[in-house]
Amino acid sequence: MLVLGIETSCDETSAAVFRDKMLVSNIVYSQSVHREYGGVVPELASRAHIRRIIPVVDEAISEAGVSLADIDIIGATVGPGLVGSLLVGLTFAKTLCFALDIPFVGVNHIEAHIFSSLIYEDILTPALALVVSGGHTELHLIPEFGVYHLLGRTRDDAAGECLDKTSKFLGLGYPGGPVIDKIAREGDPNRFSFPRAMLESGDLDFSFSGIKTSVIDFFTSSGEDFVRSNLPDILAGVQEAVVDSLVEKLKQAHKIYPVSDIIVVGGVAANSRLREKLAHFCERRGVKAHIPPVSLCTDNAAMVARLAIFLFERNGSSPLSISAVPGLDIIQKGD
Ligand code: KG4
Ligand code: ZN
């Protein structure tokens, strides 16, 4: 069975091909047009998707060594995401399915991130999953794949959004996460301390907007020259606050739900300090950590195709009448 996945929910145009359960190609085009604006400009994102969708799909198909006529199923992201961006990939995928007379499978982007952990390995359930991206920070208990129980989510900014806003404020460009990750490697994470909010809130929710405010306050009180000349230490401190908040809530969740497998996915899961601290925590607790390779943490169509395979085997195809749902939530246990 050959499955084509298409992802266009934000600023990556991506297509991937699976042959049965093996990933055979994954092409990701990251839009650079947003860099000068310090964040994604929705209208520019949809236009860039329109320009790139055909070349990206063509490349994924040819790298897989197949032709479009060989594809058996197409999966595409339905939501959450930017409506104009979602519509490009979704309409493209549905039109191809109609023309080729093959099944279409619509997928949830957050669930697809969770499935990025299943591309190269099998994972036992129950498991805990932390999804950390530019738009979402969510902690789920997974009794079995396809069934999710939301334990906590951010009350304001997502973890990636906090890093992106900090980077934008300091004029370091977009996306902020990889820039901060790189510069922070040269810094001392303990020299400057930034807030770790809600650690004693008694629930498993997160909050990151205080970090950004505290960076602005720090900048105002210390002055630009001081900030510029101490950038690695400051960014290491900011990154440490984000990472500690994530790992601490994961620890609290694991105390309540002592599962043997923990999944961490989404763009921020590419962060080197987070990966290091998670590995340490999981080793100490005797838990298996499942963190995809860096290339599969940020948005990609491989995870979309992987989830489409699972959903097709379980529920069959989705109707072609399905439309983009920008605020789509992951299906909860009992829904
Ligand atoms: O999953 P993703 O590609 O898109 C969304 O679904 O949002 O995540 C993008 C986010 C951005 O906020 C970006 O700054 C962050 O992931 N990110 C990182 C790193 N690479 C990407 N954050 C920290 N460290 C990284 N190495
Ligand atoms: Zn994503």
Side-chain angles (χ1 to χ4, degrees):
M1 186 169 76
L2 282 169
V3 180
L4 171 67
I6 295 179
E7 155 65 36
T8 63
S9 68
C10 191
D11 58 339
E12 261 89 27
T13 317
S14 181
V17 177
F18 266 79
R19 183 185 295 278
D20 300 320
K21 297 238 164 100
M22 193 166 43
L23 178 64
V24 286
S25 70
N26 183 33
I27 306 299
V28 182
Y29 167 74
S30 293
Q31 304 175 353
S32 54
V33 62
H34 310 287
R35 281 201 194 124
E36 62 181 290
Y37 301 97
V40 179
V41 183
E43 180 59 29
L44 294 180
S46 347
R47 290 183 199 191
H49 284 306
I50 290 170
R51 277 194 298 276
R52 299 305 302 187
I53 187 86
I54 294 176
V56 164
V57 169
D58 276 350
E59 199 178 332
I61 299 259
S62 79
E63 202 178 291
V66 299
S67 76
L68 207 48
D70 301 324
I71 300 293
D72 297 300
I73 296 168
I74 302 179
T77 309
V78 170
L82 301 168
V83 69
S85 292
L86 288 165
L87 278 171
V88 176
L90 186 59
T91 309
F92 189 84
K94 289 194 299 180
T95 310
L96 270 183
C97 287
F98 182 72
L100 297 169
D101 196 20
I102 57 173
F104 165 75
V105 181
V107 315
N108 177 304
H109 182 79
I110 304 296
E111 190 177 9
H113 270 302
I114 292 174
F115 270 70
S116 66
S117 64
L118 290 167
I119 291 175
Y120 293 121
E121 56 179 346
D122 291 325
I123 300 176
L124 291 176
T125 49
L128 280 170
L130 176 65
V131 184
V132 266
S133 70
H136 293 82
T137 302
E138 295 182 357
L139 192 51
H140 294 271
L141 175 68
I142 308 182
E144 59 181 284
F145 285 101
V147 180
Y148 307 92
H149 180 48
L150 181 69
L151 303 177
R153 68 190 338 169
T154 182
R155 298 224 183 139
D156 40 58
D157 291 349
E161 189 178 1
C162 163
L163 297 171
D164 292 339
K165 285 181 175 171
T166 300
S167 173
K168 182 179 182 182
F169 176 73
L170 296 172
L172 301 173
Y174 174 85
V179 181
I180 293 177
D181 191 350
K182 190 163 169 231
I183 301 176
R185 275 176 217 179
E186 314 299 320
D188 172 2
N190 300 314
R191 187 167 159 218
F192 302 110
S193 180
F194 292 91
R196 284 121 168 102
M198 296 188 53
L199 294 190
E200 270 138 45
S201 60
D203 57 30
L204 295 170
D205 281 348
F206 305 84
S207 166
F208 292 101
S209 67
I211 297 179
K212 170 200 64 196
T213 312
S214 144
V215 170
I216 296 172
D217 290 348
F218 187 89
F219 192 90
T220 316
S221 59
S222 312
E224 184 167 354
D225 288 347
F226 182 83
V227 170
R228 298 273 164 244
S229 49
N230 292 280
L231 203 54
D233 289 348
I234 295 167
L235 294 181
V238 169
Q239 178 177 270
E240 201 72 359
V242 172
V243 168
D244 281 351
S245 306
L246 293 170
V247 175
E248 187 51 42
K249 284 283 162 148
L250 199 50
K251 278 185 192 168
Q252 293 179 10
H254 189 253
K255 267 201 185 133
I256 307 169
Y257 306 100
V259 297
S260 58
D261 293 73
I262 291 182
I263 295 167
V264 183
V265 292
V268 182
N271 185 265
S272 57
R273 186 69 176 150
L274 178 60
R275 295 171 86 93
E276 199 180 300
K277 287 205 149 180
L278 281 169
H280 184 68
F281 155 66
C282 288
E283 203 182 301
R284 273 196 16 236
R285 290 268 174 111
V287 173
K288 273 190 221 127
H290 304 277
I291 314 174
V294 168
S295 63
L296 295 175
C297 288
T298 44
D299 289 349
N300 64 84
M303 65 188 195
V304 172
R306 179 64 187 83
L307 174 56
I309 295 168
F310 171 84
L311 292 174
F312 184 73
E313 282 173 354
R314 190 178 240 229
N315 312 323
S317 62
S318 313
L320 289 181
S321 56
I322 203 167
S323 192
V325 185
L328 187 67
D329 269 329
I330 199 161
I331 291 182
Q332 289 294 298
K333 195 177 168 184
D335 277 3

